[in-house]
Amino acid sequence: MARTRRPLIAGNWKMNGLKADALALASGIADGVRQTGWTDREVLICPPATLVMAVAEAVKGSGVLVGGQNCHAKPSGAHTGDIAAEMLRDCGAACVIVGHSERRTDCGETDADVRAKAEAACRAGLLPIVCIGETLAEQEAGMTFSVLANQLKGSVPAGATAAKLVVAYEPVWAIGTGKTPTIAEVAAAHAHIRKVLDGLMPDAAGVRLLYGGSVKASNAAELLAAGDVDGALVGGASLKVDEFLAIAKAV
């Protein structure tokens, strides 16, 4: 069956990169994308906030999108150390990741916090990538579907549309561990997410669903071919030009 949703390959650099290395990485990815001339897929890189503006300049004209890794719900104010969605947009970002499991775990972010940040992204003209996923204990207890449903219902903004929402499924137990669910488990989780979204918005069929969790060049083709998988949210492998481009080529 032909794809009806444009695949998105997103790289989350997390807390990695000083300016010189980051610009070399961004330029390498941009050069690779330019050479392919891709129009049937999107490539996104999300560097630390300190590098968003410089990276956006480095990839300008290549077709590579730049995003942030987090944003505050408010557009401005007394929020020391935070960054507003409008600030990311001003730096050249087009997207922002919200609700990553590392934010939920390390910073205690709730579904309500994630929803507020997703709404802020939309307010600023950014595309929010809302992350959801179950822990190992939840997976072993057979709670995967209920956890995903609850996170979606609590995190997806009211009035969301397919044009203003991406959902990334990242089983927490697979992030950075080298472990991945089976292809059948990935397909089942994505089908469930689509079903839940169908009850939350009128055009759920158009929402892009990304898989994340130890995605690498060696398993990308198989994961991206699973049912209802429209791309990937890539962690460590996005820090290597050849590895990240190989994942993008695997679509």
Side-chain angles (χ1 to χ4, degrees), residues 123-138:
R123 178 191 69 220
L126 299 177
L127 176 67
I129 300 175
V130 175
C131 298
I132 59 172
E134 80 281 12
T135 64
L136 180 59
E138 290 166 339

Side-chain angles (χ1 to χ4, degrees), residues 52-53 56 65-68 85 87-96 124-126:
V52 169
M53 182 176 288
L65 301 174
V66 176
M87 293 173 176
L88 290 171
R89 177 78 179 191
D90 191 48
C91 287
C95 312
V96 62
L126 299 177

Side-chain angles (χ1 to χ4, degrees), residues 17 27 35 39 51 70-71 105 111 122 125 136 143 150 155 157 167-168 248:
S27 296
Q35 290 170 15
T39 58
L51 296 167
N70 179 48
C71 68
T105 300
D111 292 337
C122 293
L136 180 59
M143 297 171 59
N150 288 335
S155 303
V167 173

